[in-house]
Structures are given as C-alpha cells and as structure tokens.
Amino acid sequence: MNEIALPFSLVAELTYRCPLRCPYCSNPINWSDNSYQQELQTEDWLRVIRQARKLGILQLGLTGGEPLLRKDLEILVETAAELGLYTTLVTAGTLLTKERAANLKNLGLDHVQISIQDSLAAQSDRIAGTRSFDQKIAASQLVKELGLPLTLNFVLHRQNLDRLEEMLSLAEMLQADRVELANTQYYGWALHNRDALLPTREQLARAEQVVKAAQQRRKIPMGILYVIPDYYAQYPKPCMGGWGNRTLIITPNGDGLPCQAAMAIPDIEFGNIRDRALDWIWFESAGMNRFRGTNWMPEPCQSCDRKTLDWGGCRCQAFLLTQDARATDPVCHLSPQHSQIRSVLDRLSVHKEDFVYRDRSAGTKGFN
C-alpha cells in the first residue's frame, strides 16, 4: 500500500436529529436505532477535536442532522478556534437565532453553510417536509449581517431543477459568498426516492446553461460549485476524494468513517472514538483501509489509467446497486454492470411525485 496521507478535513456529525425530513437525506436509513441515539458527550467531542488538530487536520465541519440541537456547540467551536481549526457550521438554519449566531461568531466560528430546498416557499417547505423557508431566509440574512461568510447549498433533483435560475437569483439577492449546486446522489433516503428525484437529461442540459450564465455574472464572489448526478456521468467521481484519502467523518455515536454512507456496507469494522484514538482510526482501522489505494480494485479499474483519479468511484453506491462493495461503480461506462444505470434512466418516463420522507412513519404522504 502507498504511504497514507494525513487527513485534511474532519466532519463532525454531532447528531442525526433534525427538524427537517428531506427525502434525499444522507443520514442512515436506520438513524433512529439505539446505536445512534447514544451520542458522544461533550468531553468525547473535545477529545476528538484536540486529536484532530494533533493529526494535522485543518478544517472542521460541524454538521448532522442539525448541529444547533447540541447545547454544547459553543464549547466545541471555542475549542476548535483556540486550536486554529477553520470551522464551518452546516445547518438547516431554522434554529439559528441572532443571539446564538453572534455568540458563535464571537467564539471563533469561521463560516456558515445553510441549505435551501427551492426558490419557492411552498415547494421548499414541501421538500423539507416542514415549514422552514422563511426561517432559512432570515438565517441567511443574519449570517451576512454578522459579517460571516455564507455558503448556500441547493440540493437539486427533478422536482426543483427547473427553478435553478430562480434559486441562483435568490442566492445573489442574499449576497451568498459561495453556492453549492449539488445534484442528488442516490444512496440513503435518496435511493428510496430515486424515481421521484432523478432528473431528465433535458433538465440537466438546461441547468448547465443556467449555471454558465450565473458564473459569467460573477455575483457569487467565491464561485458556484455544480455537481451533476453520477448517473449521467461517463466516469464516476472520486467519492470524498478517495476512500480514506482526505476526509475523516465521526458519526454521532463515535464511529470513524471515510464517507457519510460507509455504514451501509455490511461486514466492515470501523474504529470508534470511545475505544480508539483518532490517529489509530485513520491509519490502522480495518474499515478505513478496506478500499484505500488501488490494490483492492478489480478489472477494469485495475488496468484503467484513471484509477488514481476516480479511485473506482463510490464504494457505497457500488454496494447498493450490485451488493458487492468491490465492484466497479456501475455509473462508469466501462463497468460490467453499467446496464443497471441505463435501465434506471430508461424508466424516467414514469413520473413519480410522492416522497418517502426521512421520518419513515410519514410514509409517502405529502406535506401539509
């Protein structure tokens, strides 16, 4: 195996609790299981943050679920700032009050990312599964008033992609410093809702032109990141920059993962911060090393000159589509199982509106 690089970013999933019920949520389908209810205590997270800095990590993402549900968020931000970590709060925005936002800034928070589900209040609320649009707009304005950098994240799919131009206009009006346009990736809840979320090729072609026009306007100072759905790509993306290459995720119960969806793959043991130090998890754990590098790759990946560019694609997606986590990601046009992707795209003529919301008890009922 090649020498293992140091991680650049730590993603701290402080909780899977969230006031929203988005049908593309990347949190585990079984997020309500007892194992995830046993959230790390404040002292656990403080130990993680200190070990992360010692390991050479530079960026800390405080996310969830909704990280603002943690009453100790301020303590974590203050400690990270004292250690010199660049901190980003990734939030739905619905719980961000003026007092709390100002306090977080004073304690050293560097950056806020807020998700907005659509440009129209009714549609945004429907996708989120709860009334939240007005609170998101107010939170975005609050972040700018405090002088914090603001990223707006729009998760794109069939039921909002035709309003992309309006979403970008909203971002410009809110004076966002950066915009993420992330087409839904199909694992977790999104895989359950794929028939309702996957856009058409025609929608994506129009969206590309809208994005180019917005980039030419240069109204978003730090730029617009646009990610197309894997299902329409010729080659897969290097998921998280490659398994165990750049980013370390700690789940609410303390598991150390190479990506948010890695727990979907069975029979892989990941280290837990309650039992192991962060450096052991990164360098030594079986789970982190399982698909690191290139030696594990089957053909055609092993002989492909792109193998150190896309690292075989997404292991979680490969497992969810083929039941084999070692398989070449089926989105790659060279994959022996690429026909699975073609068959999904061939079914797009069947239009499905209803969502299975993150709260499984909600079933497929619409928002009301």
Side-chain angles (χ1 to χ4, degrees):
M1 181 182 292
N2 295 331
E3 182 179 354
I4 299 172
L6 293 173
F8 181 74
S9 301
L10 175 71
V11 177
E13 296 184 322
L14 302 182
T15 179
Y16 285 147
R17 293 172 290 144
C18 183
L20 306 188
R21 300 189 292 140
C22 302
Y24 48 73
C25 182
S26 62
N27 289 164
I29 292 293
N30 63 336
W31 72 273
S32 60
D33 284 1
N34 288 335
S35 60
Y36 293 120
Q37 299 297 311
Q38 303 302 313
E39 295 181 359
L40 294 178
Q41 299 298 308
T42 303
E43 55 268 25
D44 296 318
W45 279 118
L46 291 175
R47 186 174 68 255
V48 168
I49 291 170
R50 295 186 182 110
Q51 291 181 5
R53 191 67 190 93
K54 188 176 180 181
L55 189 56
I57 285 172
L58 300 175
Q59 293 185 346
L60 173 63
L62 298 160
T63 181
E66 176 49 69
L68 287 165
L69 286 168
R70 290 281 303 213
K71 295 180 180 179
D72 57 0
L73 179 61
E74 285 77 3
I75 299 173
L76 306 185
V77 167
E78 183 177 26
T79 300
E82 290 173 350
L83 294 171
L85 286 163
Y86 184 90
T87 52
T88 295
L89 175 65
V90 181
T91 174
T94 60
L95 304 178
L96 190 63
T97 64
K98 185 173 184 178
E99 180 182 5
R100 199 164 190 197
N103 193 25
L104 287 167
K105 181 191 176 184
N106 292 336
L107 291 171
L109 182 67
D110 293 299
H111 171 218
V112 178
Q113 175 177 306
I114 294 176
S115 62
I116 300 180
Q117 280 65 35
D118 205 315
S119 59
L120 299 175
Q123 290 301 320
S124 182
D125 291 346
R126 174 179 174 266
I127 294 165
T130 185
R131 291 183 175 87
S132 54
F133 180 81
D134 292 342
Q135 295 166 299
K136 291 171 177 290
I137 300 302
S140 301
Q141 293 169 333
L142 175 57
V143 169
K144 293 300 296 184
E145 289 171 8
L146 290 171
L148 283 166
L150 171 66
T151 291
L152 292 182
N153 173 266
F154 297 93
V155 178
L156 305 177
H157 46 81
R158 188 196 310 177
Q159 299 195 34
N160 69 3
L161 192 56
D162 291 333
R163 290 183 291 280
L164 179 55
E165 188 167 5
E166 290 81 358
M167 283 185 261
L168 285 165
S169 295
L170 177 63
E172 292 173 4
M173 184 271 289
L174 292 171
Q175 298 180 306
D177 298 281
R178 181 172 175 271
V179 171
E180 291 184 359
L181 303 173
N183 273 282
T184 302
Q185 304 301 315
Y186 294 96
Y187 48 76
W189 293 98
L191 184 61
H192 281 257
N193 286 291
R194 188 174 58 186
D195 289 346
L197 295 172
L198 190 64
T200 66
R201 197 176 298 276
E202 292 73 21
Q203 282 182 302
L204 289 170
R206 292 193 297 269
E208 185 176 1
Q209 296 306 311
V210 170
V211 173
K212 287 181 178 178
Q215 290 171 333
Q216 291 171 358
R217 291 198 298 271
R218 300 182 182 275
K219 295 287 185 70
I220 308 296
M222 295 176 64
I224 299 170
L225 175 66
Y226 179 59
V227 180
I228 68 169
D230 282 357
Y231 283 44
Y232 286 98
Q234 186 177 17
Y235 298 103
K237 289 188 291 295
C239 182
M240 304 298 290
W243 183 284
N245 277 0
R246 294 174 55 84
T247 304
L248 174 57
I249 292 95
I250 301 296
T251 66
N253 67 338
D255 290 329
L257 309 179
C259 77
Q260 286 94 334
M263 291 301 290
I265 303 174
D267 303 322
I268 298 184
E269 293 186 9
F270 295 100
N272 189 286
I273 196 62
R274 288 186 170 106
D275 308 314
R276 296 286 191 171
L278 205 64
D279 60 350
W280 186 92
I281 290 174
W282 180 255
F283 290 108
E284 305 294 336
S285 73
M288 199 64 68
N289 283 300
R290 181 64 182 86
F291 300 110
R292 189 175 251 153
T294 61
N295 290 341
W296 62 272
M297 291 182 180
E299 295 294 351
C301 296
Q302 192 59 243
S303 302
C304 183
D305 58 6
R306 293 180 53 89
K307 68 180 179 181
T308 56
L309 296 176
D310 56 40
W311 301 102
C314 178
R315 296 301 86 220
C316 307
Q317 185 161 255
F319 172 75
L320 290 168
L321 292 176
T322 72
Q323 300 303 298
D324 181 3
R326 290 184 68 256
T328 299
D329 190 332
V331 306
C332 180
H333 76 289
L334 299 174
S335 167
Q337 292 158 305
H338 183 62
S339 60
Q340 289 199 34
I341 301 299
R342 291 197 302 268
S343 66
V344 170
L345 296 179
D346 288 344
R347 295 200 306 268
L348 277 182
S349 58
V350 178
H351 188 68
K352 187 175 183 293
E353 288 283 350
D354 290 338
F355 296 133
V356 178
Y357 286 103
R358 180 176 183 263
D359 179 2
R360 296 197 72 169
S361 66
T364 59
K365 295 178 181 178
F367 168 70
N368 53 55

